[in-house]
Amino acid sequence: MNVTVYVPRDAAAVALGADEVAAAIAAEARAQGKSIRIVRNGSRGLIWLEPMVEVETADGRVAYGPVAVEDVPSLFAAGFLDGGGHRLGHGLTEEIGFLKRQTRLAFARCGIIDPLSLVDYEAHGGLAGLRKALALAPAQIVATVTESGLRGRGGAGFPTGIKWNTVLGARGDTKYVVCNADEGDSGTFADRMIMEGDPFVLIEGMAIAGLATGATKGFVYVRSEYPHAIEAMNAAVKIAGDARVLGTDILGSGKAFDIEIRVGAGAYVCGEETSLLNSLEGKRGVVRAKPPLPAIEGLFGKPTVVNNVISLASVPAILDKGAAFYRDFGMGRSRGTIPIQIAGNVKHGGLFEAAFGMTLGEIVDDVGGGTASGRPVKAVQVGGPLGAYFPRALFDTPFDYEAFAAKDGLIGHAGIVVFDDTVDMLKQARFAFEFCAVESCGKCTPCRIGAVRGAETLDKLGAGVAPEAQKALVADLCNTMKFGSLCALGGFTPYPVMSAMTHFPEDFSPRVAAVAAE
Ligand SMILES: Cc1cc2nc3c(=O)[nH]c(=O)nc-3n(C[C@H](O)[C@H](O)[C@H](O)COP(=O)(O)O)c2cc1C
Ligand code: SF4
């Protein structure tokens, strides 16, 4: 029988040489007259081990990584096709601590199946949620999602069921489901991993959203920087259409839902739902004032569900296993699991899906293994470029929307970027203003002008021009931006700035001898 060898097709693995490794394994097997089957799976999320090659054995999959082309002959010599020992070996994949400690619901199949095999998808529990949804009335589907406690994973943490209920109740001849796959936050890659590693789970989640709200058309808005995800989603939509998972007769039910993949042109603000809708309509990506909510007047003025990839990919398991099953995980008002993305200067970077409630310290120190540089961790930024910088003193904060908000932080899309003690927090604060200035859509004054003035003020502080006055000015400016901005780009930029100033005051002293106030 053919031995199955898994070599990820995930962009991170490919960037690290997975295509060449797969080719080398195929060539070596041919040369040795060994018959193998290579499956290009998604990533398991242990990015520091990519390309991570797995071999199917009688005891389960055995992992090797990071594998380079030059390691391939020695892997064969060590008998890796039978799970033989090798210096790159990690034993049974499922026993690796980083994986074993996780609770994988949205990512249950990612890295396990062939991403574009619908047969494999179904064999691993796929489509069970959709089948159950087809037997329910729209209001029952909405109720299940509401009871599960699922909150939007795109950043704002808004309850998904409540949003769906608004769309269900909205009047409109046409309704839409829009999947936000813009994934602009620094250090985040969960959306990309799902789209590349298990695209059918997103398709299934969107179809369920359509059934729940009466929408028959869905769009996935993917950032242009994700060519592998775009390719995988287009291929998966075609396969799902051919198999009647999508189309005018979903699984023979007579109900309709279709999906189109659209590619963004690259602007952080196009991840904001209303500028995303403008962009989808072919307009400039400028934020729209709310109300009206997209749920009432969204794409082309029609009622629209806008949800993040992970929110939608969480739905099939909720429908399949029930609201109570999902709700049982987590803490407080943060129910279920969250795919945490650990990045930056960290030893074990990757995707870690877990129930809400682990502390930041556990995630960074125990799971992430501390910094890659080996130096002490000084700060971690949680929640993307608009998230706060937390010092070690806040490492006891549990991963929970409310707990982070109570410490003037946010979870956002659950990206964590780790910095060691060489980081200069004044520069990081200045970068936050600069980022906001570059990415601002320009619609409102606090953001458009404030971000530029903020960067200038921090430059003056660094130059020693009346530093105390500059600090007061930055705090005042942040207050104006927080409460006066139209959207969270301007409104949340104060989080990284103020957290840097509050938690790392030692970095906010002049870099040159102080000069007299101007
Ligand atoms: C500047 C800005 C950028 C955003 N970028 C993203 C993004 O890349 N992906 C995303 O899902 N949500 C993003 N959001 C949040 C969306 O506006 C919206 O809340 C989300 O798509 C709703 O889906 P959810 O309820 O499933 O989280 C962004 C918001 C702002 C203000
Ligand atoms: S806060 Fe910035 S990005 Fe948001 S609407 Fe105002 S100018 Fe545009």
Side-chain angles (χ1 to χ4, degrees), residues 97-98 101 331 340 342 346 348 352 354-370 377 380 391-392 394-399 404 416 418:
F98 190 89
R101 291 179 68 178
M331 67 175 279
I340 300 163
I342 310 170
V346 68
H348 296 155
F352 192 89
F356 284 94
M358 282 177 83
T359 67
L360 187 56
E362 279 176 275
I363 298 165
V364 174
D365 292 334
D366 302 351
V367 176
V377 174
V380 293
R392 286 206 80 92
L394 293 182
F395 270 22
D396 59 350
T397 312
F399 223 71
F404 265 69
I416 296 185
V418 181

Side-chain angles (χ1 to χ4, degrees), residues 151-158 160 163 180-185 191 223 268-274 276 290 306-309 311-312 386 413 487-489:
R151 291 165 73 176
R153 304 291 190 236
F158 188 81
T160 307
K163 187 183 285 188
N180 188 342
D182 199 50
E183 197 162 51
D185 282 2
D191 298 352
R223 62 189 293 134
Y268 182 71
V269 78
C270 282
E272 192 283 331
E273 58 186 2
T274 62
L276 185 154
K290 285 190 264 193
V306 183
N307 271 139
N308 172 255
V309 171
S311 316
L312 291 160
L386 310 176
H413 188 45
C487 87
L489 179 46

Side-chain angles (χ1 to χ4, degrees), residues 269 287 436 439-445 447-448 485-491:
V269 78
V287 173
C436 181
E439 298 294 339
S440 170
C441 83
K443 186 152 177 164
C444 66
T445 315
C447 167
R448 186 183 67 245
S485 296
L486 187 57
C487 87
L489 179 46

Side-chain angles (χ1 to χ4, degrees), residues 47 183 187-194 226 341-343 349-351:
I47 307 294
E183 197 162 51
T188 62
F189 43 87
D191 298 352
R192 181 185 61 69
M193 271 182 64
I194 276 288
Y226 280 179
Q341 299 127 88
I342 310 170
L351 184 125

Side-chain angles (χ1 to χ4, degrees), residues 26-35 72-77 81:
E28 189 70 27
R30 241 186 341 266
Q32 296 196 10
K34 296 207 160 110
S35 117
V72 170
S74 68
L75 281 168
F76 273 84
L81 292 180

